[in-house]
Amino acid sequence: MTGTAAGPPPGAAPERTRLSWRRTVLAGTAITLLTARLAIRDGFAPLRLTVGGFVLLGWVGILLIGRYRIRSIGESGALPGWVPAVTASCLAWFAVLGAVLAVLP
Amino acid sequence: VRVVRPLWRTVRQWFDPSDMRAVGSTPDYRFSLANERTFLAWIRTGLALVGGGLAVAGFLPPLRMTHLREAIALVLILLGALIGVRAADHWARSEKAMRLREPLPQSRFPAILALTLGLGGLLLAGAVLAGVR
């Protein structure tokens, strides 16, 4: 350990948290692609394409939150309280669209 | 109303946690970051379940048992969404506990989730072996 008694090892915790955000954004990207694939499962039906298109909102959302958080992590370390709620909302958004696409004829 | 109002307050607090910042004192930032990573790990778990549901709906051929494919996909997707909501709530409760220097919140959720997934997996394995389509 190179950390002193006064401070934590520099970089370790913020770095791991940044990487955790990157993995999460990457997972969100994979979900976006899976949703797109599900939308065009039976050809290019306009309704399914429209519903599937809305997945881009969730993708952009998680992309922006990830970007914001990765940049802000070094400055204060504190996570603004709305970030988890909005991130969970993106996941819920993916779930809603996936559920609709799963049952849509 | 007695149920709705606390529920609404909880949901509002997720998005506007200024009340939460007012209590206690700021914990060591490493603990906060660890709490954040735990939250993100849960989000990825939820994403994985949603992804599993999407894969079932997107890549399986229609099964002979009516709507079986859709049912499996829906259960996985809804479970994923549930994990996300619970992750946000658990993050907020842990953060509050750390600020107040209280013990971290206990939860049965991981055990219940593990049992549900284990039983579901066994059920599906049984269905595959029994040739249910």
Side-chain angles (χ1 to χ4, degrees), chain A:
Chain A
M1 290 294 274
T2 52
T4 61
E15 183 69 23
R16 274 156 62 197
T17 312
R18 264 195 292 272
L19 288 170
S20 197
W21 271 106
R22 288 207 189 282
R23 287 198 295 277
T24 307
V25 172
L26 201 62
T29 307
I31 296 299
T32 305
L33 291 174
L34 277 172
T35 309
R37 170 61 176 70
L38 178 56
I40 58 170
R41 183 185 62 191
D42 314 311
F44 293 84
L47 181 59
R48 292 185 72 88
L49 277 180
T50 311
V51 175
F54 281 114
V55 80
L56 288 176
L57 283 180
W59 186 54
V60 168
I62 210 161
L63 219 59
L64 287 178
I65 298 171
R67 197 181 104 108
Y68 161 76
R69 191 54 193 144
I70 284 168
R71 289 184 171 198
S72 70
I73 230 164
E75 293 159 13
S76 68
L79 174 68
W82 53 268
V83 170
V86 176
T87 311
S89 302
C90 286
L91 171 54
W93 181 243
F94 289 136
V96 167
L97 293 179
V100 171
L101 283 173
V103 297
L104 215 61

Side-chain angles (χ1 to χ4, degrees), chain B residues 14-50:
Chain B
W14 290 341
F15 289 92
D16 176 25
S18 46
D19 301 0
M20 203 182 79
R21 291 260 179 257
V23 300
S25 57
T26 309
D28 185 329
Y29 79 93
R30 285 171 296 174
F31 299 158
S32 291
L33 289 178
N35 190 20
E36 183 176 346
R37 287 196 299 276
T38 306
F39 164 75
L40 289 173
W42 275 114
I43 287 292
R44 287 195 299 276
T45 306
L47 282 170
L49 282 178
V50 171

Side-chain angles (χ1 to χ4, degrees), chain B residues 4-127:
Chain B
V4 169
R5 202 171 290 160
L7 195 70
W8 169 245
R9 201 182 317 139
T10 307
V11 171
R12 209 204 53 206
Q13 247 179 22
W14 290 341
F15 289 92
D16 176 25
S18 46
D19 301 0
M20 203 182 79
R21 291 260 179 257
V23 300
S25 57
T26 309
D28 185 329
Y29 79 93
R30 285 171 296 174
F31 299 158
S32 291
L33 289 178
N35 190 20
E36 183 176 346
R37 287 196 299 276
T38 306
F39 164 75
L40 289 173
W42 275 114
I43 287 292
R44 287 195 299 276
T45 306
L47 282 170
L49 282 178
V50 171
L54 290 171
V56 165
F59 294 100
L60 274 190
L63 300 177
R64 217 179 302 148
M65 198 181 282
T66 331
H67 300 318
L68 178 60
R69 178 180 69 168
E70 283 71 22
I72 297 173
L74 276 184
V75 167
L76 286 172
I77 288 171
L78 293 181
L79 206 54
L82 177 72
I83 289 174
V85 173
R86 185 264 174 191
D89 183 58
H90 191 77
W91 174 85
R93 285 191 296 136
S94 300
E95 200 73 7
K96 193 174 173 190
M98 288 196 296
R99 295 188 72 87
L100 295 172
R101 312 213 176 271
E102 285 172 356
L104 289 178
Q106 302 265 319
S107 178
R108 290 195 188 88
F109 185 82
I112 295 172
L113 178 69
L115 280 179
T116 309
L117 289 179
L119 288 177
L122 284 178
L123 208 65
L124 282 182

